[in-house]
Amino acid sequence: MTLRSAESLESAESSRERWGHRGTAAPVAEESREAAQLAAAMEELRRAGYQMDARDKQLLRSLRVELCTEVLVDGLVIQYLYQEGILTDSHVQEIKAQTTSQRKTMMLLDILPTRGPKAFEVFLDSLQEFPWVKDKLRMKRKEMMVQDPADLTVIAPHILKTSPTDQQLNKLAMRLGPEWEHVVLCLGLSHTDIYRCKVDHPYNLQSQIVAAFVLWRQRLGKKATIQSLQAGLIAGEVDPSVILCMLS
């Protein structure tokens, strides 16, 4: 190698180091990170437009414990939902991987709200072996439909300006399902924040949700009001009655 070639190589290497580049690893890593962020954003947009009706989600939450006692997954429910395209192969495997029938049903109830606006009706159709469950769901749904939404969202102004307490956040967490991730994203948390909450509380969904809301409250301080929380719940398409239950 000539002296001039060596000087040129050294100059190029010096330039790369000055601008923070060492070979192609940094640009590739940056592109991968940007691609991952874009994919996550697209997934959130897809999920936002592919959600079950807020009242149907609330109905499944309100009857969650009762539905779990019926052990719905031991019949043809799962196969019918798979046949109709509501559940995917991975969903079925995830449900079957649960250790008890009750946990399998809970997993199904977690998945259903994320499977689109038709998922609830198809779920009702799948309950041929459980006519009493189907009838109760239809009756409760009818009762919820006749409620006036305006009556559900009236909260006193002085309450809206306060920050939610730990007890209130716990009550809220009990009423939320998988949509909690979209809600906290609307409140300003990141996917990394959600991941950390899951890692810190790997076996308890309610603790994950509470941890996320506590983190939101810590970060926003005085701006973390019930009013801003209500806005986040609305953006996440959570039924308005949920926040009233939190305040009761």
Side-chain angles (χ1 to χ4, degrees), residues 9-32:
L9 182 60
E10 183 178 356
S11 176
E13 183 63 27
S14 176
S15 176
R16 283 196 296 270
E17 291 181 358
R18 184 165 59 252
W19 290 99
H21 296 294
R22 290 185 177 272
T24 59
V28 170
E30 182 65 26
E31 290 176 4
S32 299

Side-chain angles (χ1 to χ4, degrees), residues 71-78 95 101-102 104-105 108 130:
V71 195
L72 304 178
V73 292
D74 284 351
L76 297 175
V77 173
I78 299 299
I95 291 170
S101 295
Q102 285 78 14
K104 290 176 182 178
T105 303
L108 172 62
F130 304 90

Side-chain angles (χ1 to χ4, degrees), residues 189-209:
L189 266 61
S190 66
H191 288 281
T192 302
D193 294 327
I194 293 174
Y195 174 75
R196 287 173 179 167
C197 291
K198 290 182 175 181
V199 170
D200 290 341
H201 307 278
Y203 306 113
N204 192 317
L205 176 62
Q206 185 176 343
S207 295
Q208 294 172 12
I209 301 174

